[in-house]
Amino acid sequence: MTALDKVAEIADALGIDSQPDVYTGSAKQWIVYNYTYQNGREFADDAPQADVSSVQVHFYAPVGESTTKLQKQIRNALFDAGFTYPDITIEREEKYRHIIFECDIEEEREA
């Protein structure tokens, strides 16, 4: 299971529509997610033994709607799924609050 698969599962478990890269649905709240960086780690015999991925999870909700509870749920779910504890940046757009979770995950390298 990839890091992005894990994010999609988290969104489903929380009942939030989600898509990778660009959201094209019509929900009031949604999640978009993407890789920001991928690299190998723990080299042996000149080959990486693990893959490290940095991801961004973008949560959008209408301005004026309380997002504190969901923000904590998303952060905790990412951490519980094996990601590093996410850094959060909050941006206010014209009609939406844009909450960005940034975190890393290390996984065994698949052939």
Side-chain angles (χ1 to χ4, degrees), residues 37-100:
Y37 177 79
Q38 292 179 292
N39 200 354
R41 209 178 260 173
E42 299 178 13
F43 284 79
D45 297 325
D46 296 324
Q49 302 303 301
D51 291 325
V52 177
S53 299
S54 291
V55 298
Q56 286 184 334
V57 177
H58 305 264
F59 174 60
Y60 291 87
V63 169
E65 188 172 297
S66 177
T67 58
T68 304
K69 184 177 178 180
L70 269 175
Q71 179 179 321
K72 289 178 182 180
Q73 289 175 330
I74 294 167
R75 181 182 240 178
N76 291 336
L78 287 165
F79 186 68
D80 291 345
F83 291 88
T84 56
Y85 198 68
D87 290 327
I88 296 177
T89 304
I90 301 172
E91 298 178 358
R92 184 173 172 171
E93 299 177 3
E94 187 176 331
K95 295 181 181 181
Y96 290 94
R97 181 173 291 128
H98 177 191
I99 303 171
I100 306 161

Side-chain angles (χ1 to χ4, degrees), residues 1 6-7 12 17 24 30 33 44 48 55 58 61 64-65 70 73 79 89 96 100 107 109:
M1 176 180 292
K6 288 182 179 189
V7 173
D12 286 345
D17 277 6
T24 58
W30 67 90
Y33 48 91
V55 298
H58 305 264
E65 188 172 297
L70 269 175
Q73 289 175 330
F79 186 68
T89 304
Y96 290 94
I100 306 161
E107 301 176 294
R109 187 165 168 77

